[in-house]
Amino acid sequence: MKGCHIQPPVQSFLRKRIGVISDTHGLLRPEALDALEGVDRILHAGDIGDLSHLDALADIAPVTAIRGNIDSGHAAQALPETANLTIGGLRIHMIHDRKTLKADLKIEGWNVVISGHSHKPSIGEIRGILWLNPGAAGPRRFRLPIT
């Protein structure tokens, strides 16, 4: 039809705020809870230490947590060593120790890889994948920052 303009459908992307925490080692600081307030989802990259802390985090938002190298016992065994999830169109892979990752990143198609373990906060992009380590929110280790 002449003069008729068809508008393409408008895609609406839901904005999600994702809180990422790692290496709490049994210490869930009030500052960490305050920082996570208002997020839509919490991702814990392992070394939780006290699994009851996952309940405190779940009071803020739904939690996805993986097992770290200090997480032991029957309850901790229920936590996966890795997790794959999609949030807001992002394909996210979680693994506690990045050095143990054995997947082919091109095949997996992940947008984000989240790890912990080193206690060193870092963020960077390598070949189109965002690599995020939130550092450690638990007890201070050496001279590394509490994050």
Side-chain angles (χ1 to χ4, degrees):
M1 298 194 308
K2 194 172 184 179
C4 180
H5 298 285
I6 299 173
Q7 297 285 334
V10 176
Q11 290 183 330
S12 65
F13 294 96
L14 297 176
R15 302 195 101 199
K16 300 283 184 183
R17 290 188 63 216
I18 303 169
V20 183
I21 191 168
S22 184
D23 294 274
T24 48
H25 288 264
L27 176 61
L28 189 55
R29 297 172 184 274
E31 302 92 329
L33 295 172
D34 290 345
L36 293 168
E37 197 63 46
V39 300
D40 298 299
R41 183 78 168 252
I42 297 173
L43 307 180
H44 195 305
D47 278 359
I48 300 155
D50 182 344
L51 296 183
S52 69
H53 291 165
L54 296 178
D55 293 330
L57 294 173
D59 287 341
I60 296 170
V63 176
T64 299
I66 59 171
R67 185 171 64 241
N69 56 292
I70 71 148
D71 298 318
S72 60
H74 181 56
Q77 293 304 312
L79 293 173
E81 289 184 9
T82 64
N84 293 309
L85 56 156
T86 301
I87 301 174
L90 290 176
R91 295 192 63 217
I92 301 169
H93 179 70
M94 295 172 56
I95 186 166
H96 181 63
D97 184 353
R98 175 179 170 170
K99 292 179 182 177
T100 64
L101 182 64
K102 294 180 179 20
D104 184 329
L105 302 179
K106 289 182 182 178
I107 292 173
E108 298 299 337
W110 297 320
N111 305 108
V112 181
V113 175
I114 296 172
S115 63
H117 188 63
S118 71
H119 292 226
K120 297 176 185 173
S122 64
I123 187 168
E125 187 176 323
I126 302 171
R127 285 178 255 150
I129 299 172
L130 181 69
W131 293 81
L132 171 66
N133 184 326
R140 182 177 299 281
R141 182 177 176 199
F142 310 115
R143 294 184 179 191
L144 295 170
I146 297 166
T147 56

